[in-house]
Amino acid sequence: MARIAFILLCHKDPDAIIGQANMLTAAGDYMSIHFDARAKPEHYRKIREALADNPNVTFARKRIKCGWGEWSLVQATLYSIEAAVDAFPRATHFYMLSGDCAAIKSARYAHDFLDAHDVDYIESFDYFSSDWIKTGMKEERLIYRHFFNERNHKWLFYTSFNIQKKLRLKREIPADLQIQIGSQWWCLRRRTIEWILDFTRKRRDVMRFFRTTWIPDETFFQTLVRHLVPENEIRTRTLTFLMFTDYGMPVTFYNDHYDLLLSQDALFARKISPEATELKTRLGALYADEDARFNISDEGRSLFKFLTGRGRIGRRFALRFWETESTLGRERELMIIICKKWHVAKRMIDKIRQVTNVPAIEYLFNEENTHLPDLGGIQATLGKRTRHRRALMRMLFDYFETDRLIVCMDPGNIDLLEDFCNDRSTTKLLEIQCEFSDAYLVGHARRVGLAGTQTPKETLERLLPTIRGDINFESDRIRDAEFENHSIMKQSNDPEDNAGLIARFLDIAPDKALEIARTDHLYAD
């Protein structure tokens, strides 16, 4: 009988991981866990302690910091696989999972399904002839070396790429490999896994190549399986049911999707909402039910496409997604930096990006040209961003695959601040109160059109008190709103005083907060 070793890559929600591990191993299967080294140490300790007595659970011998699109995701998977191969000699199959996945069939059904055919399940389409990549880089992912993370170090990523392109520093793809691409959610037989591990030890040239490709978790295992395994022993599909919206975001499943999920031709599904506790409970009970029977209709994707497509021809079966489920998410944390001097907040954001791994976005509700990912058009104009602000923010959380996000706002955005602070998510505000010289206020008046280069000095002198009063009024309104988690950082404070506020705001160590507070020329105009 099939015995599955689940390879779990995760970075949050220790209680859910513990529950997932206990549920899957209770049926006689195994689990090898890699918990992101960027995550909170106390979360990792909690998982280790809770699962210490479970003989069917092991952990990757080395934890590394993972980033989307990086080789680190593949390396973390390999560390987990190596631990599982050594710890579980009776495991017949190795199944890739994330913390957002859940079983949608019983253990008995899963074992019978895998026993029925001696094959590997992995999406693997020809990299160049298929249309798996819809937009963005394609050949460039492979023929150039990528040393930086596009999401965390965008300037470095594209500068390095453009320099290589300009100097024609292309590299050759290993001659004996036909690059494949597909979903990273696979299920492979033990023999295949052992072949892959042996290949990684012998072919250092291939390992060097993939280490500097972009998004290698979509190509590494897919290519190696095709290279090592006979074609008739591969099923080009994933056993994990997942769908994507027109915005390129994974569809999230909730409590009322139970029947839909059970009817799909898959063993697992992702992404399950953290708030779908009833769904998780029912699916957990189902996994242990040996008598469960399933009617497979596999209509999920076509049904989703049909219902979402009705809106384009003016027919609606339900509220739009921005009219319902409008919370950012109870488990999420939105951190807002408020500052009238936008360049000051931007300098702080740049420093925060260097010191932490929290995604940070500049004045997205104030500047049309703020860099944002393509979210299907909702990010296209300031009007759309403001009108659908919660939907936009949820999509940004999903895009960055994070529960913590930093944004900058102008003190005049009181309506936005009130809206986000009333959400069920945790919202923190750090207001930076700067000093305003008369020269700065004159420049501000000219930038916003209140004055021109030829405006008489006497007119400017009459105007300055009004501008200064308006700035103070905006700050007073924020203070009078009595928002929770509102801190005020003043230019006149010592860096040590401001560091304490920054540490609480970002939930980071005091020394890192002090490094941010001491940013060179932070307040310079």
Side-chain angles (χ1 to χ4, degrees):
M1 184 183 77
R3 299 286 292 275
I4 307 170
F6 294 103
I7 307 301
L8 178 66
L9 266 56
C10 48
H11 65 280
K12 61 180 180 179
D13 202 351
D15 291 328
I17 293 168
I18 294 166
Q20 187 180 29
N22 286 329
M23 181 197 82
L24 294 176
T25 57
D29 292 317
Y30 312 103
M31 179 172 285
S32 179
I33 300 174
H34 179 277
F35 194 71
D36 197 330
R38 295 186 191 276
K40 294 182 178 180
E42 58 268 28
H43 287 176
Y44 182 60
R45 286 195 298 270
K46 183 176 183 179
I47 296 169
R48 291 294 301 242
E49 291 169 2
L51 299 174
D53 296 329
N54 190 330
N56 286 12
V57 174
T58 191
F59 292 84
R61 295 188 181 91
K62 185 176 181 181
R63 293 172 61 213
I64 59 174
K65 296 178 180 179
C66 296
W68 185 90
E70 295 179 7
W71 168 256
S72 55
L73 288 174
V74 177
Q75 186 64 71
T77 305
L78 289 172
Y79 284 145
S80 298
I81 289 172
E82 290 169 350
V85 168
D86 292 342
F88 310 125
R90 297 181 62 190
T92 61
H93 294 77
F94 293 74
Y95 197 120
M96 185 74 181
L97 285 181
S98 77
D100 295 323
C101 295
I104 57 174
K105 298 293 188 294
S106 66
R108 180 174 181 176
Y109 181 97
H111 296 152
D112 291 345
F113 183 94
L114 296 176
D115 280 334
H117 303 284
D118 187 21
V119 296
D120 296 308
Y121 295 91
I122 184 169
E123 281 190 350
S124 50
F125 304 98
D126 185 271
Y127 189 90
F128 296 100
S129 63
S130 71
D131 65 345
W132 206 85
I133 297 176
K134 303 297 184 185
T135 59
M137 290 184 176
K138 188 168 185 177
E139 182 185 28
E140 294 84 356
R141 291 193 193 181
L142 306 175
I143 64 175
Y144 296 109
R145 295 172 175 84
H146 301 278
F147 303 103
F148 306 101
N149 188 295
E150 191 264 349
R151 290 185 175 180
N152 297 335
H153 304 288
K154 190 173 294 291
W155 185 86
L156 290 172
F157 179 91
Y158 286 106
T159 300
S160 171
F161 167 68
N162 289 327
I163 289 173
Q164 293 180 72
K165 193 173 181 180
K166 185 176 182 179
L167 298 178
R168 300 180 180 179
L169 298 178
K170 294 182 180 180
R171 61 174 175 174
E172 296 294 327
I173 298 170
D176 59 332
L177 292 185
Q178 183 179 4
I179 304 299
Q180 304 287 308
I181 191 167
S183 166
Q184 64 269 53
W185 312 110
W186 41 254
C187 178
L188 303 177
R189 296 167 297 173
R190 186 182 191 91
R191 184 187 65 180
T192 302
I193 287 291
E194 290 173 346
W195 284 351
I196 289 173
L197 292 179
D198 185 59
F199 184 91
T200 63
R201 299 182 189 107
K202 293 179 178 177
R203 293 294 301 272
R204 310 313 298 175
D205 60 319
V206 173
M207 299 299 283
R208 285 194 298 272
F209 171 78
F210 277 108
R211 280 194 182 97
T212 51
T213 60
W214 182 234
I215 320 182
D217 56 320
E218 294 180 350
T219 56
F220 179 79
F221 290 100
Q222 296 78 359
T223 300
L224 264 57
V225 170
R226 281 283 174 186
H227 183 74
L228 298 169
V229 178
E231 185 175 358
N232 63 349
E233 295 181 21
I234 301 173
R235 298 292 181 268
T236 307
R237 56 161 297 191
T238 174
L239 297 181
T240 299
F241 177 66
L242 67 162
M243 297 188 296
F244 291 89
T245 69
D246 291 341
Y247 299 100
M249 297 295 149
V251 173
T252 301
F253 299 109
Y254 296 91
N255 291 331
D256 55 353
H257 287 120
Y258 179 80
D259 292 326
L260 171 72
L261 293 177
L262 264 58
S263 66
Q264 304 312 306
D265 185 19
L267 304 183
F268 282 76
R270 77 178 304 267
K271 303 173 65 171
I272 308 298
S273 169
E275 298 179 357
T277 53
E278 179 185 340
L279 176 62
K280 292 179 180 179
T281 300
R282 294 179 71 184
L283 292 176
L286 176 71
Y287 194 73
D289 186 354
E290 293 192 355
D291 297 324
R293 296 292 181 268
F294 301 91
N295 295 316
I296 307 301
S297 56
D298 206 28
E299 81 300 335
R301 292 182 178 87
S302 59
L303 182 62
F304 178 80
K305 183 178 180 180
F306 170 78
L307 291 177
T308 54
R310 297 301 89 193
R312 297 191 182 87
I313 57 175
R315 298 175 64 185
R316 296 174 58 181
F317 291 92
L319 295 174
R320 300 289 194 222
F321 76 98
W322 55 77
E323 296 168 334
T324 184
E325 303 285 354
S326 61
T327 180
L328 302 186
R330 193 183 300 277
E331 304 299 323
R332 286 173 167 168
E333 187 176 44
L334 177 64
M335 292 167 280
I336 304 175
I337 295 177
I338 307 165
C339 189
K340 196 65 180 178
K341 289 187 177 181
W342 295 359
H343 57 278
V344 173
K346 290 177 180 180
R347 287 189 194 123
M348 177 174 279
I349 284 288
D350 284 339
K351 191 65 175 180
I352 289 173
R353 290 192 185 108
Q354 297 173 30
V355 175
T356 75
N357 192 42
V358 182
I361 303 173
E362 297 173 2
Y363 287 82
L364 71 167
F365 296 107
N366 302 100
E367 292 184 299
E368 194 97 50
N369 62 351
T370 297
H371 180 79
L372 292 171
D374 186 357
L375 303 176
I378 196 172
Q379 84 294 342
T381 66
L382 289 177
K384 284 187 176 182
R385 297 177 203 170
T386 303
R387 187 161 60 251
H388 307 308
R389 47 190 173 268
R390 291 199 186 188
L392 172 69
M393 206 63 74
R394 288 202 312 279
M395 293 169 72
L396 288 171
F397 275 106
D398 289 338
Y399 176 85
F400 289 108
E401 295 184 346
T402 183
D403 289 328
R404 306 182 75 217
L405 183 66
I406 304 170
V407 298
C408 297
M409 290 191 194
D410 188 274
N413 297 134
I414 187 68
D415 292 338
L416 294 174
L417 295 174
E418 289 176 340
D419 189 24
F420 288 122
C421 287
N422 286 329
D423 191 81
R424 284 187 290 173
S425 62
T426 299
T427 303
K428 292 182 178 179
L429 309 180
L430 179 63
E431 183 182 359
I432 306 176
Q433 291 186 352
C434 301
E435 297 171 358
F436 297 92
S437 66
D438 287 350
Y440 178 86
L441 292 179
V442 169
H444 175 73
R446 288 172 176 160
R447 284 191 294 272
V448 299
L450 293 175
T453 56
Q454 304 302 318
T455 301
K457 181 179 178 181
E458 296 78 12
T459 303
L460 288 173
E461 289 176 349
R462 289 195 300 270
L463 190 60
L464 291 184
T466 303
I467 297 175
R468 194 181 297 277
D470 189 58
I471 291 173
N472 292 335
F473 172 72
E474 290 177 347
S475 185
D476 288 340
R477 281 203 302 173
I478 295 173
R479 187 169 61 250
D480 292 341
E482 298 182 342
F483 295 124
E484 285 187 68
N485 304 317
H486 174 213
S487 302
I488 298 176
M489 172 178 158
K490 296 183 179 181
Q491 181 177 347
S492 57
N493 288 352
D494 293 329
E496 290 74 12
D497 295 331
N498 286 333
L501 300 172
I502 294 171
R504 289 194 294 274
F505 176 70
L506 296 174
D507 193 22
I508 60 175
D511 58 329
K512 290 187 176 182
L514 186 58
E515 184 180 349
I516 296 171
R518 287 177 173 170
T519 301
D520 292 339
H521 313 297
L522 178 59
Y523 300 101
D525 294 326

